[in-house]
Amino acid sequence: MPFISQIKRQTDYNLFPSSTPIVIDNGASYFRIGWAGETDPRVIFRNIVQRPRHKTTGETVTIVGDHDTTLLKYFDCTRSGPRSAFDSNVVYQFEIMEYILDFAFDRLGANGSEIDHPVLITECVCNPVHSRSKMAELLFETYGVPSVAFGVDAAFSYKYNQQYGICNKDGLAICPGFSTTHVIPFVEGEPVYRGSCRTNIGGYHITDYLKQLLSLKHPQHMTKLTWEKVEDLKMEHCYIAPDYFSEAQLFQKGTKEAEHKTRCWQLPWVPPPTEEPPSEEEIARKAAIKERQGQRLREMAEAKRSSRINELENQIHGLEFLLQQLEQVEENDIAAFLSDTGYVSRQEIESTLVKLTQSLRKAKGERKVEQAELEKTDASMNEKYPLIHIPDNMLSLEQLKEKRRQIFLKTTTEGRQRAKQKRVEEELEQEKKIQEEEERRLENPELYVEQMRAKYKELFEKIDQRKRLKTNGNHTNGNNTSGGVGRGERLNAAQRERMRLLTTAAFDRGKGEDTFGAKDEDWQLYKLMSRDNDDDDEEMDENEAELARISARLQEVDPTFVPKQESGPTQSAAEIPRVRPLTKEDFQIVLGVERFRCPEILFRPNWVGIDQVGLDEMTGVSIRRLPTKDEDLEQRLTSSIFMTGGCCLFPGMSERLEAGIRMIRPCGAPVKVVRALDPVLDAWRGASVYAAKLQFPQQTFSRMDYYEKGEDWLRRYQLQYTL
């Protein structure tokens, strides 16, 4: 079976005789395996399994325990997350347990599937018989283990520290583990399971609670708060407060002591590059580039204009030559002569010639039309519309219809010419204004830019103010910002006038008989009501056009000019959200009250929805469950309270537990709380020392005993810890 792991495989497996036991500490968090008689386990890894597929080959691989996160980019982990063989602290997924044991024996150095060494494996307190029998079946039938022994991890840790005088023969062992917490009384060096108790709270719940609090506090960094990283933060920064509420008040008041206790985790952060303002050389260089580009565009436009003028002149010369030829052609032969040219009559040729002449003047920039040319145009129009000046009594019905059509066409043409002439005059006026502005700019560029900026600012504020007044009326909420105004306050002057007329009409109709509409003057009311006051809108359009022109002009002459952004119709300039650049503080995970709030659930499990007692109260429950009531025994037990397990590493744990137990014990009763030499590894070391003793084979049961006696014998099996 292919494994992916950073743990190296042991090479001295064959050097140990078959009588040397293998010691396994099967914890819900970590799995430890090694040889009996050694001080440290050979292989340690997290007790989880993940089986993803390779993205390219599709092969399923087994990832047991810790792994290199950089390798996961080659595997599809979306359908296979980390799985544990434990439910609380009881093994129930033996398929996963088989993967873990395969990996453990492989890293220990075993070459085949047969394991010819006795095995000592730990289990939880009062482990169910079904779980124990399934584990024995797995070890005997899958791996061929010759003999097996089951023991409680907390008991091995207690006996190991008893050798060094840390605890007495009589005492209480408190083991806050990964998912549960146990209290086991010891009398004469042997555990009394009838007096033990359990609470479903442990290190897993502390890590999960801390992850929830940090995710709510820093939702923008949820991807950074992985389970492994939160576990490291918990073990590095969390502590047990001597008095939770006094500690919380320090952080609530924001004292210096609270600031000293606050910890900060800095996430990777790269400061954004600072944008320096362009230098004068850079501005001059950009202006020179812009000027060269403009010169190139002007040259291209001039070349195109010259080509257009030449084309129009050639067409005009051709038409003039054609008219000269028509003068030499008789009237009856004109139609035949023009059949190849594409024209129908002399009038069509003259009209085309006039249009081309006007286009040529426009291309050359000759805007003014001479009086003679206008008279010539009028003469051509008279020739084009001959029936206009003939009296109606001299025309037939068909000619009258044609005369009306010619009058309509002539009127439309004259209107177009007048509009065209007006546009030409406006363009001339605009060009004159632009030329004057350019002269003023050349005389004093700095003064010109300053005046243009002042005018731009004045127009912008005027337009913005008019838009706000149009939306919210002439009232404010007292803070110079638009806000809660009524319907009448949002109306402009024209709308208020219409409302007044409606109110007056309704008031008059309520007096006596309704005679509205009897007089012609009454209908003038509708004209007044339907008339819109568009002067303000027209003025606003003119101001906006002028603002756009000034903005474009400023962008041409001033590279440092930045146009202002207009506020929305219902949002004032003060309400526009501004995005600030991210700083180093935005990439920090701050741990304040979370440092002692999360471990506090060991003493207050109801904070996370577990309606059970805390660590301090569990000692009283365990003492009350003892079969005999003896005050001397109780005093001996409380004078040697032993702590083991990963959660005992929190600073302040011993002091807080001792203070809590004193509150439930009689006044003056001896209370002493001690901690294991190594709360994490002492369970395996105690099991290693126990398995190395000569009397150990007497405490095991062989594979033959398992086949002969079956599950009932496992029910009665109990390890004797004092040999």
Side-chain angles (χ1 to χ4, degrees), residues 9-10 98 121 165 202 206 247 322 346 371 388 406 425 454 470 487 493 530 545 554 558 602-603 605 683 687 714:
R9 194 171 187 269
Q10 303 294 316
E98 185 176 355
I121 187 169
I206 298 175
E247 195 81 5
L322 184 59
R346 180 190 296 271
Q371 185 67 24
I388 293 177
Q406 291 181 4
E425 293 175 356
K470 186 176 181 180
R487 163 69 180 170
S530 61
L554 280 173
D558 188 4
L602 291 174
F603 299 89
L714 286 173

Side-chain angles (χ1 to χ4, degrees), residues 550-606:
I550 295 175
S551 176
R553 183 62 177 167
L554 280 173
Q555 289 177 355
E556 291 178 1
V557 300
D558 188 4
T560 61
F561 172 73
V562 178
K564 295 182 180 179
Q565 299 293 331
E566 294 185 4
S567 58
T570 59
Q571 186 179 22
S572 64
E575 297 171 347
I576 298 177
R578 297 178 181 178
V579 180
R580 64 174 180 85
L582 296 178
T583 61
K584 181 180 179 181
E585 287 72 17
D586 295 325
F587 289 85
Q588 290 179 352
I589 303 296
V590 180
L591 289 89
V593 294
E594 296 85 6
R595 294 185 62 198
F596 60 91
R597 182 179 181 182
C598 296
E600 186 67 19
I601 64 176
L602 291 174
F603 299 89
R604 306 175 192 271
N606 57 330

Side-chain angles (χ1 to χ4, degrees), residues 448-620:
Y448 175 78
V449 172
E450 184 179 353
Q451 291 176 352
M452 293 292 285
R453 280 181 172 272
K455 190 173 182 181
Y456 177 85
K457 182 179 180 181
E458 180 183 357
L459 279 175
F460 182 85
E461 292 178 354
K462 183 178 180 181
I463 292 173
D464 191 52
Q465 180 70 14
R466 192 178 293 273
K467 285 184 178 180
R468 288 202 302 269
L469 291 176
K470 186 176 181 180
T471 304
N472 297 325
N474 295 327
H475 299 267
T476 60
N477 57 5
N479 296 323
N480 293 328
T481 57
S482 59
V485 292
R487 163 69 180 170
E489 296 174 350
R490 291 197 300 267
L491 301 179
N492 56 24
Q495 292 172 336
R496 287 197 293 271
E497 179 64 18
R498 287 195 291 272
M499 291 294 293
R500 187 189 67 79
L501 293 172
L502 283 173
T503 305
T504 304
F507 180 76
D508 293 339
R509 290 182 60 184
K511 296 180 179 180
E513 184 180 358
D514 183 10
T515 59
F516 181 79
K519 299 179 180 180
D520 294 338
E521 292 80 3
D522 295 341
W523 299 102
Q524 298 296 327
L525 178 63
Y526 288 107
K527 296 181 181 179
L528 294 173
M529 290 171 55
S530 61
R531 184 178 61 191
D532 292 329
N533 188 7
D534 296 332
D535 296 340
D536 295 341
D537 296 336
E538 292 176 0
E539 184 180 356
M540 182 179 291
D541 294 339
E542 293 176 359
N543 292 336
E544 289 179 352
E546 182 67 14
L547 182 69
R549 187 189 70 81
I550 295 175
S551 176
R553 183 62 177 167
L554 280 173
Q555 289 177 355
E556 291 178 1
V557 300
D558 188 4
T560 61
F561 172 73
V562 178
K564 295 182 180 179
Q565 299 293 331
E566 294 185 4
S567 58
T570 59
Q571 186 179 22
S572 64
E575 297 171 347
I576 298 177
R578 297 178 181 178
V579 180
R580 64 174 180 85
L582 296 178
T583 61
K584 181 180 179 181
E585 287 72 17
D586 295 325
F587 289 85
Q588 290 179 352
I589 303 296
V590 180
L591 289 89
V593 294
E594 296 85 6
R595 294 185 62 198
F596 60 91
R597 182 179 181 182
C598 296
E600 186 67 19
I601 64 176
L602 291 174
F603 299 89
R604 306 175 192 271
N606 57 330
W607 284 8
V608 290
I610 299 176
D611 191 12
Q612 296 177 359
V613 297
L615 290 183
D616 46 5
E617 297 182 37
M618 288 177 67
T619 58

